[in-house]
Amino acid sequence: MSTTKDPRRQLLGKIAKARGAQFEQRLGESFAYYAQRGYAIIEKTPEPMHPTKSLGNGKFIAYYEKQAQPDYKGTIKGGRTIMFEAKFTSTERLEQSRVSREQSEYLDRCQRLGARCYVLAGFITGEVYRIPWAVWSDMKAHFGRKYVTEADLREYHIHTAWNATLMLLDD
C-alpha cells in the first residue's frame, strides 16, 4: 500500500475547501447586510477551543472541540430566534449525516422552543437553498433517502438580490 498522496485528490480537496470558504463569505456578507439595515443580527458561532498549554504572551496550544451548535445564530426583527447550519458540497448530493447527531439534537430542542431553524445548502453551481429543519431532519420521509440533490431542493432555492445579498430571511 502506497503512502504517497494522490495530487489530483489533494487539488480537488483544496478547490472544495476554497469554494466552501467562498460560500461562508457570501453568507457572512448577507448577514452583515441584514444587520446594517436593522433586519436581523445573525452571527457565526465561534468554534469551541480547548487550550492545552500556555506559551505566554497570550499564545497557547489548543485543539478544536466537537461543535454541537449550529453555524449561525441570531435574532430577526420582532424578536424571533433564527439558526442556520451551513453545508457546502462540491459533489452532486448532500448527505443528511453532514449534520452531526449533537447538532441535530440542539436544533430539535431550539425548534421546539419556537426558533426558526434551517440548513443552508450550497452547491458547486453557486446556488443556495434554505431547507427548513423539519424537512432536513426527516429527509427520508420527504425525499425517500438520506441525501438531497439540487433538483430535490428547488422549492427552497434562495434568490440573490441585485447587490449579491442572499435573500435568506424572505418567506
Side-chain angles (χ1 to χ4, degrees), residues 50-62:
H50 181 77
T52 57
K53 182 179 179 182
S54 175
L55 301 175
N57 294 330
K59 297 178 182 177
F60 56 89
I61 296 174

Side-chain angles (χ1 to χ4, degrees), residues 6-24:
D6 180 354
R8 184 176 183 278
R9 286 184 55 92
Q10 284 183 308
L11 178 61
L12 291 175
K14 285 182 182 180
I15 291 169
K17 187 173 182 175
R19 294 237 169 117
Q22 286 176 326
F23 172 61
E24 287 207 6

